[in-house]
Amino acid sequence: MASERRDRYARVILDLRTRALDRTFDYAVPEGLDGQVRVGSCVLVTFAHRPAVGYVLGLGDEPSDGVDPARVLPVSQVLADPLFDEAAVGAMRWMAAEYAAPLLEVTRLFCPPGFTARTERDPRTGAWRLRRDETREVDDRWVSLTEAGASYVPPTSASRQRAVLAALSQGPVRQAELGLALSGAAAVVGALARRGVVTVERRRRVRGADEVRLSSAAAPRRDVAELTAGQRAGLAAIQRAVDARRGDVVLLDGVTGSGKTEVYLAAIERVLAAGRDACVLVPEISLTPQTVGRFRARFGDQVAVLHSRLSVGERYDQWDMVRTGVAHVVVGARSALFAPLADPGIYVIDEEHEASYKQGSVPRYHAREVAAHLARAHGAALVLGSATPSMESLARCEAGEHRGARWTRVEMPERPSARPLPPVEVVDMAREFAQGWRSMFSRALTAALAEVAEHGEKAVLMLNQRGFARWMLCRDCGYVPSCEHCSTSLTYHERGHRLVCHTCGAEYPVPAVCPECGSHFFRMSGMGTQQVEDRLREQLDALVGGTMPVIRMDADSTRAKGAHERCLEAFDAAPSAVLLGTQMIAKGLDFPDVTLVGVINADTILKVCDFRAAERTYDLLEQVAGRAGRGDKPGRVIIQTYQPDHPAIRAAAEHDRSLFMAPERAIRREAGYPPYTRLANVTCWGASRDDVVRVAGQVADELRATLADVRGAEVLGAVECVISRMQDRHRWHALAKVPAEAGDGLGARVGAAVARVRVPTGVSIAIDVDPYDML
Ligand code: ADP
Ligand code: ZN
Ligand code: ZN
């Protein structure tokens, strides 16, 4: 009987980018498709009299509340086997609410790389099917020797046959490879196949695997004889977290080079031995062959790699290795979180403080929070590692608990090599200037570069370039004007020649001389990598006559595929060189022979209008300082700054985090910033300034209304954004602050509040929960 059929209704989210449709619709599962329509299936349905592609997020015996079964249309066709499972659907729904993000956009995160909802008709059957371009599987022809072929002796005249047989003696070879080595190989293979000497079979190619395989050669397995005390403590804590099966978190708080990666490897080994899977996130920029190679060297073909520098086809094949259960370890950037591991037992996030774990576009999720959710959902452990943990994670460890999971911090204060952290010298650039030294390289840095050049060593120079916001700086005393009400640095606006606070909107006149010291050298600041490179070359030419290479690494020089690796390889291969780069050089690089690390301008990021600016400065300085003296030669670090007494700089110089944390905590608590609050930033933009201002004002009103009952909640704005115009669009924003203990469900509240605002065409709204970028 029909009424006994189960799962007769599918809840389908349509792949149509219309905000009003961002929910599931019921479709009936026709008898003919019983058992084929499953959670995660990609289906063809009819919507508004047209075919539409959708994803099944749930099944039920009854229609959803309020849905008239007589009006439910049937699923027309199943286009693809399940792309994700029920646990993934739970995570999607959580993410959509947590980040006030469209469910469709979240759903698409869990679809295979390169997946598109475009359809075409199968020319033979006339049925619809998904168009698969990059995600089509690719086969290779593999040639192997048959048993009979092993005893085949080619005629002495057949030199090409002999060459082919020699190539095959070690095992099967791709026909394409034979073709590269030997012209006309295909004909020879054909002839041998007809004689039964060889066979040719098609095998699926796993794109991306070659790169991975090469990388493991780059990092031969270095067996660690004995773990340090810190490593053993970390491993034991992780084991407890894995066994607890409720999403417990272990924060490995270990200085650079303390052996955190070694701990991840050991922990993953145990998880794999228990038959479960592992997911490892590394910042995109640190996903070098070196890094991937360490995982490949340990876990071999079980490792899949996912990051944006791979082609779509490569990513698809790597993803598919996970789906088919060939790979049990996925190593990748943020999006690797969504790879379809069958039974994740451990999530690892290396350099957990990195801002790149926050996605800048919709859906604006933070990988750490999503990983914590997934770990809870799968009964897995979450391991966070950093030499400079985020203030959020440190606060949770101090509380011991967050959202039902236990948070434990394990310190790893020592390097196994017992190599001490390098000494750091802080140079006060204002004093240099006062003493008549006008170069961007201080006397100390110039002398150190000369020494490196003379001894044929290597140096890394970092130029801070974050933030296109412009600020005023006194070259004499380093003074930077800040808001009287917010303690954020003021931004200079050409229009109206004024200084503006982008937290509260206050405006100030531009002082003609430094209000601190009266100096006339009170100017705009800012400097490009190219400019610094030119000066550096001049300097080095004067020292060693142009023999020392300068390798520049910034967003421009590393845009092309593989450029990043080539820069690093060039630096690695050079006997003596200077690597000059933006903050991208601070992370993960492990070159043993760097003896000097210089930071040209530690201040720029202190001044970006962002409450995390000081924390980022501290992180960056501590990380970059860790690049010096990794090998046999001792290293040294020189930091140039106009704020030698700033806690972020002093803490990095002394390698003592508490010097920074204590004052920074007081500031955050006082000003109401994370980790003491949760924030949600709502940005409105459009061509009509009046419309944008009105909508932003309404957003702020709705936010105030929805948070009225939350004690200590506050809404700032609406005010103009720091970047007040972008591509001829006016930009305004409102910022909601909620005490951390009342922070759960903030996204859902803000989403509902914003949904109540009537938005005219031409105005767009973006909600960012736990924002990192509020410019
Ligand atoms: P981190 O990830 O904390 O920066 P790594 O795991 O990369 O540190 O370790 C730094 C270096 O120390 C690596 O070359 C690694 O092989 C080595 N190492 C790690 N643990 C040990 C150990 N217990 N004994 C000896 N060497 C170790
Ligand atoms: Zn202000
Ligand atoms: Zn001054």
Side-chain angles (χ1 to χ4, degrees), residues 222-228 231 254-264 294 350-351 412 416-417 419 590 630:
R222 275 177 282 182
D223 270 313
V224 167
E226 200 187 348
L227 295 180
T228 64
Q231 287 175 319
V255 298
T256 48
S258 59
K260 295 183 291 296
T261 309
E262 236 10 89
V263 177
Y264 308 149
R294 286 178 74 177
D350 191 31
E351 310 287 6
M412 294 172 47
S417 60
R419 239 172 282 142
D590 189 0
R630 297 202 138 205

Side-chain angles (χ1 to χ4, degrees), residues 443-459 540 543-544 548 576 595-596 634 636 638:
R443 286 165 292 183
L445 187 55
T446 306
L449 277 170
E451 217 170 285
V452 166
E454 261 165 44
H455 297 159
E457 294 168 348
K458 286 186 193 176
L540 291 171
L543 290 170
V544 285
M548 190 149 170
S576 168
T595 52
L596 170 69
R636 62 191 285 209
I638 296 175

Side-chain angles (χ1 to χ4, degrees), residues 676-691:
Y676 304 104
T677 58
R678 272 194 93 184
L679 308 178
N681 190 34
V682 183
T683 308
C684 308
W685 67 96
S688 156
R689 187 170 188 277
D690 290 347
D691 284 355

Side-chain angles (χ1 to χ4, degrees), residues 483 485-486 501 504:
C483 178
H485 315 290
C486 310
C501 169
C504 73

Side-chain angles (χ1 to χ4, degrees), residues 474 476-479 514 516-519:
C474 173
D476 269 317
C477 73
Y479 172 79
C514 174
E516 262 323 271
C517 73
S519 164

